Amino acid sequence: MLADGSHFFRNRRNMDPVFSRLLETANSVILGKEHPIRLCICCLLARGHLLIEDVPGVGKTTLARTLAALLGLKYQRIQFTSDLLPADVLGSSIYDAATHSFRFHPGPVFNPMVLADEINRSTPRAQSALLEAMEERQVTVEGETRPLPEPFFVIATQNPNTQIGTFPLPESQLDRFLMRIELGYPDSRAERELLMGEERYALLPQLPVCLPAEELLVLQTRVRNVHASPALLDYVQALLHFSRESPLYQGGLSPRAGLALLHAAKAWALMDGRAAVLPEDIQAVLPSVAGHRLKLASNGGSMAATVAPLLRDVAIP
Amino acid sequence: MSPSALSPELLRRNLPLLCAALALVVTPHTADLPLDIPGFVWLACGWRLAMLYDKAPALARVSLFLLTLAGAGLVYLHFHKFYGREGGTALFLVGLGLKLLEMRSLRDLYLVVYLALFVAVTEYLFSQSIPIAAYTLGVVTLLMSCLIGLNGGESLSLVHRLRLGAKMVAQAIPVMVVLFLFLPRIAGPLWKLPEDEPSGKTGLSDSMEPGEISRLGLSRETAFHVDFEATLPPPQERYWRGPVFWQFDGRRWTAGYDTPLPARQPPQLSGTTYRYALTLEPHRRRWVFPLETAESFPAELTRVEDGFLLAVEPIRERRRYVLSSRPAARFNALSESERRRALQIPGIPDERVRELVNGWLLENPSAEALAQRALRHFREEPFVYSLRPPAIAGDPVAGFLFDTRRGFCEHYSGAFVYLMRVAGVPARVVTGYQGGHWNPVGHFLEVAQADAHAWAEIWLDGDGWTRIDPTAAVAPERIEREMEFAAGADGAVVFASPVAEALGERLSSLHGLMREAGLMWDAVDHAWVQWVLAYGPENQGRFLDRLGIVDWNRLVYSLTGLLSALALVSFALLWPRNRGAADPALRIYRRITAKLEHMGLTRGPAEGMADFAARVARTRPELAESFGRFTELFLAIRYGGSEPAAALERLKALGREIPSGQRGSHQHRGLGDLDARTQGISGAAAEAPHHQCPQTSGNHSHRQ
């Protein structure tokens, strides 16, 4: 199959029909956001969690609910507030008068898809309860360890840290999110359609399940089998090296970030219907994977500005 | 995007720094050129910046053309030519400003930077002082930072760019030192272009007229430095001999000959021998000023009959001569023609002068007594030493002697010689410098233009030419002490008394500090002149001798060796490790993309191969199929995992299908073609749906 390479590059143009249908449907609900939606699905395939950062009202919650509906996943939302307690996230044991014993009531985190809304409005204590669960995919409450469902996908939203009343997530916790994306305002065409069309929430119940959970799990294992050649790993390492050596950045990308980058790129390649990762895949996911893990030495700059030097100055070996 | 197009983003990141650098590059030229020439560049910088921020319109070709004419006209107006030191530099400056306004491509930006580097160097045509050297280094650092910005460093912050530029300049300094020391020095004036006109604005001139030396009188500019080997002559012996004047026309003293004759016979010398090195500032004359009287001097100098030294050609750069002198000299007999010249006076002397001289002749007719009598006259009559003497109506000598009685060395020496000649004593005027300022930090004597002086020599039978300084009779402080005076409002010079000086120094320690700093600076400057600027072929030869390098061949070998060692070390440090060229597929790919480069299609180093193929397909639809297939197979081999030999063969075969671009497209690859292609790229992006390469559309949609 590789001898004439036909699988490789041609298929890049013909996306796997499963994904194209998924994308099309999502795009019909959330208008003008093809690329962020594709990144969301990519993140999901790579078994990563997603952080959406933007100002209120650009459709963060709608996006999360649409994805849940399309995947047929049970979905629960946690509204993070400053008085949220870890037990509100994880669940707690409550005395049952009938059986004279404590019974564990699982918290919202025990759902396949969790929307952690405005995560940076709560105290670090509640934040870390969720973030631990995300990393370990299990919850330990009162000495008993309970596994979380598979698939398990957290979409957290946060307001830009410059807003009042926020507890910014520390770097170590940002690292738990595979990707961070920004939605941004819709373009004028999409906005007009939005203003003319019906209530977006009303569309949700009508959505078909495009990718059932079982299929999603199969695809997730297939992501791991996507081939990454030594030449590609050279490129990944060159990127990591650049981020660590360049005076542009305060600190480089961690090894975990390197793994995340590769994994996300594999998912991206799979969505393109390819069996191997190309440098373009790395470049496609790099802004959302590396954007929140890097800080410019000049302190500031948008996500795009942060990764621009990586995309522009690191030669593909 | 065409690699040569100027994106607004690139301009925004680079132009402010570039304009600032350009404005600074031309700033030192304000001292040497009319202000409107650097001003032209400043305006150009301002206009270009205003264009960047949309505050000013871009200039049309017509206005640029008119501006070019205006600039050239400006240069012509000032200098009447476009070459020479001033004219050429001015033309360069104007060109720099115009090029800045005319920039259209990245290449133009580079050109502006290189032009600016050249303009920075032209400043050395005018001044080679330490501040200018340091300033140039700073400006070069700025320009290096601009180049860094143009070469992909634009995402670096300004501070980073500057720091990196400074680092690169610092790294270049060792190379600079090596080249400076070992590269064969050019004999002759490296920094001096053929002189535009000999403006005698510094130094002595070849005639003496009341007012000539007074112009020099207040200039603290250095005439020369002297390093004495051992002892320093006492102040009253510090006469530095220059041109001698015989001929008087009633107002002007001139030498009376066109070319000075070489000395027929050296004088007999006696007294302490002073050995010293004289570092002469350029004064555009051939005179060298030895301490009276020169005994030994370099072969390149000639001793003339009048006792001073003459270089082969006008001194246009700092020169250093090792000389020795002895204070007492005895000259040979006076020839008849010389005696006639030494007694020449124009016309008949004024009544009052004749009366005065006749009175002296009656008292004592011997030459020596007459001289003493004249000095006594200056001392006893109310003569005043003044740098701003009043204008004299009528006969200048008589007017000075009897009416104004205010003047300085020129007046006194001229009047004295005149009186001697009237009395029948052969006499002549000698100009040069007198005194000097001892720098205790650098241990050298600094002689300034303010030390320019004129004195007299009379011929005494038996003793020969004897120095008489009539100024000393009026203002002995001028001669015996280091001059430290301030001219009063009326120009009368008040000499600081030792007491007042000591008091003043103690009272104002600030003044002392400043004096100290001034001396320190003079010392540093002197060292700079001696070790850096005077490093010519001669000094280099001596330096190389000390290193054991005698002949040029060996020098060339060692220089080549040294430079190649440097190059090897830097290559070893900078060579990218494990270049992927070991991969045969990558080698084939590079070969094929080199073909595309001939057609103007270059893959950026960070551009993915599939993206590049898509771009090729958009720009050159005829290549879409062949290069697309080639890229596919290449990607499969390089990123797909396995690498069977058959696949490589097939890759080569596919590569051969791609035309090498020499055919057809080659003949019309002018600039217009390039423009058309650039437009073609953006056009293709805009109307992608209509475009006849459906293969790329899928690729297109998800990468926005």
Side-chain angles (χ1 to χ4, degrees):
Chain A
M1 121 183 174
L2 285 173
D4 70 344
S6 56
H7 268 264
F8 216 76
F9 177 48
R10 287 247 164 93
N11 282 355
R12 202 171 135 69
R13 299 155 211 146
N14 315 329
M15 195 189 281
D16 200 314
V18 181
F19 295 114
S20 45
R21 193 160 147 251
L22 191 63
L23 278 174
E24 257 167 49
T25 324
N27 288 339
S28 67
V29 181
I30 301 145
L31 301 168
K33 292 282 165 243
E34 287 86 356
H35 193 64
I37 292 171
R38 223 193 129 169
L39 281 170
C40 284
I41 296 169
C42 174
C43 184
L44 194 62
L45 276 180
R47 285 165 52 92
H49 303 290
L50 181 70
L51 179 65
I52 307 177
E53 180 176 299
D54 226 315
V55 290
V58 288
K60 294 185 296 249
T61 314
T62 319
L63 174 64
R65 290 187 60 179
T66 310
L67 282 180
L70 289 174
L71 301 170
L73 294 178
K74 206 159 156 261
Y75 153 93
Q76 184 139 17
R77 164 179 167 159
I78 313 169
Q79 181 65 48
F80 276 63
T81 55
S82 54
D83 55 355
L84 191 81
L85 294 174
D88 299 331
V89 175
L90 304 176
S92 51
S93 296
I94 291 168
Y95 184 71
D96 187 347
T99 57
H100 297 285
S101 65
F102 283 94
R103 205 159 67 79
F104 182 70
H105 285 256
V109 80
F110 284 88
N111 282 295
M113 181 172 276
V114 177
L115 173 64
D117 223 353
E118 304 197 69
I119 190 164
N120 59 345
R121 286 235 184 274
S122 81
T123 54
R125 238 178 107 205
Q127 284 173 4
S128 58
L130 177 71
L131 293 165
E132 257 175 65
M134 280 162 55
E135 180 66 15
E136 288 156 28
R137 292 176 184 270
Q138 61 184 21
V139 170
T140 305
V141 184
E142 289 151 19
E144 199 175 330
T145 302
R146 297 161 214 271
L148 294 175
E150 276 288 331
F152 174 63
F153 187 45
V154 174
I155 301 180
T157 73
Q158 69 170 357
N159 298 319
N161 281 336
T162 49
Q163 291 200 344
I164 301 167
T166 54
F167 296 89
L169 295 177
E171 277 89 357
S172 62
Q173 302 204 341
L174 276 176
D175 205 30
R176 309 273 167 91
F177 291 99
L178 178 67
M179 290 187 182
R180 184 185 71 171
I181 63 170
E182 284 164 3
L183 283 180
Y185 297 114
D187 59 30
S188 59
R189 198 170 50 85
E191 185 132 43
R192 171 59 67 98
E193 230 175 296
L194 188 74
L195 293 170
M196 279 165 49
E198 51 190 313
E199 176 70 45
R200 295 287 119 186
Y201 279 153
L203 295 171
L204 290 178
Q206 306 160 17
L207 290 179
V209 175
C210 296
L211 185 65
E214 312 82 62
E215 276 184 47
L216 178 65
L217 287 174
V218 172
L219 285 173
Q220 281 184 341
T221 50
R222 269 181 58 195
V223 165
R224 292 182 194 171
N225 297 332
V226 173
H227 179 74
S229 70
L232 184 97
L233 297 183
D234 282 346
Y235 182 47
V236 174
Q237 280 188 299
L239 288 168
L240 296 179
H241 181 77
F242 181 88
S243 74
R244 291 165 194 168
E245 296 294 310
S246 166
L248 282 172
Y249 299 117
Q250 286 183 9
L253 289 168
S254 65
R256 174 155 56 182
L259 279 172
L261 185 61
L262 184 62
H263 211 60
K266 282 179 172 183
W268 192 269
L270 184 75
M271 288 172 78
D272 256 344
R274 264 180 291 107
V277 187
L278 292 184
E280 279 86 343
D281 300 322
I282 299 281
Q283 293 178 346
V285 296
L286 185 70
S288 32
V289 175
H292 59 296
R293 292 174 158 106
L294 280 177
K295 213 176 203 179
L296 280 175
S298 54
N299 245 336
S302 67
M303 211 165 85
T306 309
V307 293
L310 282 170
L311 287 175
R312 195 189 47 227
D313 297 339
V314 181
I316 297 172
Chain B
M1 187 178 71
S2 160
S4 63
L6 273 180
S7 72
E9 179 67 8
L10 183 85
L11 284 179
R12 217 173 5 260
R13 285 180 186 274
N14 288 304
L15 216 49
L17 181 61
L18 182 63
C19 286
L22 291 193
L24 289 175
V25 162
V26 301
T27 303
H29 286 90
T30 48
D32 323 301
L33 298 175
L35 194 63
D36 41 357
I37 302 282
F40 188 89
V41 182
W42 289 334
L43 280 182
C45 289
W47 188 274
R48 193 65 192 77
L49 275 183
M51 263 164 73
L52 180 68
Y53 297 117
D54 295 328
K55 296 282 195 306
L59 291 174
R61 274 180 196 277
V62 182
S63 5
L64 267 177
F65 178 71
L66 290 177
L67 211 57
T68 310
L69 284 186
L74 198 64
V75 175
Y76 191 79
L77 211 67
H78 282 301
F79 307 108
H80 301 288
K81 57 186 172 184
F82 296 117
Y83 55 91
R85 188 174 63 156
E86 268 99 11
T89 309
L91 196 67
F92 256 113
L93 257 70
V94 169
L96 180 66
L98 287 169
K99 190 71 204 166
L100 181 71
L101 289 176
E102 192 250 19
M103 283 191 310
R104 291 183 201 287
S105 67
L106 191 60
R107 210 182 49 186
D108 288 347
L109 259 172
Y110 281 115
L111 194 68
V112 166
V113 175
Y114 296 139
L115 205 56
L117 283 169
F118 191 85
V119 166
V121 169
T122 59
E123 177 55 28
Y124 288 132
L125 295 175
F126 300 97
S127 166
Q128 301 128 47
S129 63
I130 303 177
I132 285 293
Y135 187 87
T136 313
L137 219 54
V139 163
V140 166
T141 306
L142 275 183
L143 289 170
M144 289 311 288
S145 311
C146 290
L147 281 181
I148 291 167
L150 291 178
N151 279 287
E154 65 260 39
S155 45
L156 292 174
S157 71
L158 183 65
V159 178
H160 263 116
R161 259 184 274 173
L162 290 176
R163 203 180 297 160
L164 200 57
K167 208 165 128 190
M168 285 168 74
V169 170
Q171 282 167 344
I173 284 178
V175 181
M176 179 183 88
V177 170
V178 167
L179 290 179
F180 177 79
L181 288 177
F182 292 102
L183 214 67
R185 308 297 296 176
I186 299 162
L190 177 62
W191 290 114
K192 297 289 170 186
L193 290 176
E195 208 40 69
D196 298 79
E197 67 252 28
S199 73
K201 83 175 163 193
T202 55
L204 299 174
S205 64
D206 51 11
S207 66
M208 188 178 88
E209 196 175 356
E212 289 275 341
I213 292 184
S214 78
R215 259 194 303 114
L216 304 173
L218 290 172
S219 158
R220 284 308 308 170
E221 217 174 298
T222 304
F224 49 90
H225 289 119
V226 195
D227 293 277
F228 283 95
E229 195 171 78
T231 43
L232 188 68
Q236 64 272 18
E237 277 181 24
R238 293 182 203 157
Y239 280 86
W240 309 94
R241 195 179 180 89
V244 174
F245 299 137
W246 300 76
Q247 183 82 27
F248 185 51
D249 70 355
R251 180 162 285 272
R252 275 164 67 88
W253 284 90
T254 49
Y257 47 75
D258 289 337
T259 30
L261 295 169
R264 284 165 305 191
Q265 225 178 344
Q268 295 165 336
L269 299 170
S270 56
T272 331
T273 305
Y274 297 108
R275 305 181 62 78
Y276 54 93
L278 189 123
T279 312
L280 195 57
E281 296 290 318
H283 59 93
R284 297 172 191 152
R285 305 281 186 178
R286 290 167 62 196
W287 308 316
V288 174
F289 307 97
L291 186 69
E292 292 203 306
T293 303
E295 184 177 36
S296 68
F297 43 87
E300 61 193 284
L301 300 179
T302 323
R303 185 211 302 270
V304 299
E305 187 59 29
D306 286 347
F308 56 98
L309 298 176
L310 215 54
V312 181
E313 49 182 31
I315 294 163
R316 295 177 188 283
E317 59 173 344
R318 283 190 177 110
R319 299 305 296 265
R320 188 177 152 89
Y321 300 104
V322 178
L323 309 166
S324 74
S325 296
R326 301 176 79 174
R330 177 185 282 268
F331 288 84
N332 294 313
L334 195 66
S335 76
E336 202 41 51
S337 77
E338 279 176 331
R339 179 178 292 274
R340 214 171 36 244
R341 282 162 53 211
L343 287 171
Q344 173 266 342
I345 44 170
I348 300 163
D350 186 273
E351 184 73 29
R352 288 178 291 178
V353 176
R354 268 182 302 166
E355 215 168 277
L356 181 72
V357 175
N358 283 338
W360 296 349
L361 280 169
L362 286 176
E363 274 175 37
N364 191 341
S366 86
E368 219 167 340
L370 280 169
Q372 289 310 321
R373 183 63 193 82
L375 288 181
R376 213 176 81 212
H377 178 76
F378 285 133
R379 206 160 33 235
E380 288 173 358
E381 297 296 317
F383 282 93
V384 174
Y385 184 87
S386 164
L387 284 177
R388 272 178 239 150
I392 302 166
D395 185 346
V397 181
F400 166 69
L401 281 173
F402 300 104
D403 302 333
T404 64
R405 293 189 170 181
R406 296 169 78 88
F408 47 96
C409 56
E410 285 176 358
H411 299 85
Y412 290 103
S413 57
F416 179 81
V417 170
Y418 185 82
L419 287 172
M420 286 299 109
R421 286 181 176 186
V422 171
V425 180
R428 59 187 185 181
V429 174
V430 184
T431 59
Y433 295 86
Q434 199 281 321
H437 196 76
W438 178 246
N439 185 317
V441 183
H443 298 286
F444 59 84
L445 193 73
E446 186 188 343
V447 179
Q449 293 298 354
D451 296 323
H453 191 52
W455 58 94
E457 274 180 347
I458 56 170
W459 180 267
L460 299 178
D461 294 319
D463 283 342
W465 288 112
T466 308
R467 180 176 68 221
I468 307 278
D469 192 345
T471 316
V474 184
E477 300 90 340
R478 170 75 177 78
I479 308 306
E480 279 153 28
R481 292 198 30 252
E482 290 174 12
M483 194 167 64
E484 185 96 32
F485 61 80
D490 61 346
V493 172
V494 184
F495 288 92
S497 74
V499 179
E501 195 174 90
L503 196 69
E505 236 166 77
R506 210 157 295 164
L507 279 180
S508 121
S509 59
L510 181 69
H511 176 253
L513 263 179
M514 275 166 62
R515 204 180 129 91
E516 195 87 341
L519 291 174
M520 202 92 86
W521 174 251
D522 285 346
V524 170
D525 194 53
H526 182 56
W528 167 258
V529 168
Q530 219 176 333
W531 298 111
V532 181
L533 297 185
Y535 189 74
E538 206 178 299
N539 284 350
Q540 186 178 38
R542 230 172 292 142
F543 173 71
L544 294 178
D545 272 352
R546 214 171 301 160
L547 286 186
I549 303 170
V550 238
D551 63 328
W552 283 108
N553 281 344
R554 269 182 54 198
L555 172 64
V556 170
Y557 291 142
S558 8
L559 198 59
T560 320
L562 198 66
L563 286 181
S564 13
L566 264 176
L568 273 179
V569 168
S570 37
F571 268 124
L573 289 177
L574 300 174
W575 195 257
R577 279 160 190 75
N578 66 47
R579 281 167 76 85
D583 182 349
L586 189 60
R587 270 210 305 272
I588 297 171
Y589 183 77
R590 291 213 172 121
R591 214 164 53 225
I592 301 304
T593 45
K595 281 200 224 172
L596 295 180
E597 256 171 62
H598 285 299
M599 305 180 211
L601 291 163
T602 311
R603 185 176 74 90
E607 187 178 17
M609 287 84 174
D611 283 348
F612 179 56
R615 183 155 71 86
V616 169
R618 281 199 304 278
T619 326
R620 288 289 184 103
E622 74 274 12
L623 291 177
E625 178 62 26
S626 53
F627 190 65
R629 279 214 312 246
F630 170 77
T631 306
E632 258 167 51
L633 184 58
F634 165 71
L635 290 176
I637 295 172
R638 183 145 171 83
Y639 294 104
S642 69
E643 190 182 289
L648 276 179
E649 282 309 310
R650 184 150 162 61
L651 186 66
K652 275 188 202 161
L654 283 173
R656 276 194 290 273
E657 284 174 27
I658 295 167
S660 47
Q662 252 70 357
R663 285 171 291 151
S665 66
H666 205 65
Q667 55 257 48
H668 49 238
R669 274 188 58 213
L671 221 81
D673 187 40
L674 195 77
D675 283 351
R677 225 179 303 147
T678 320
Q679 279 168 9
I681 293 169
S682 48
E687 47 194 81
H690 307 295
H691 211 276
Q692 48 154 326
C693 50
Q695 305 96 302
T696 59
S697 57
N699 170 26
H700 214 56
S701 67
H702 65 79
R703 296 191 48 81
Q704 286 163 355

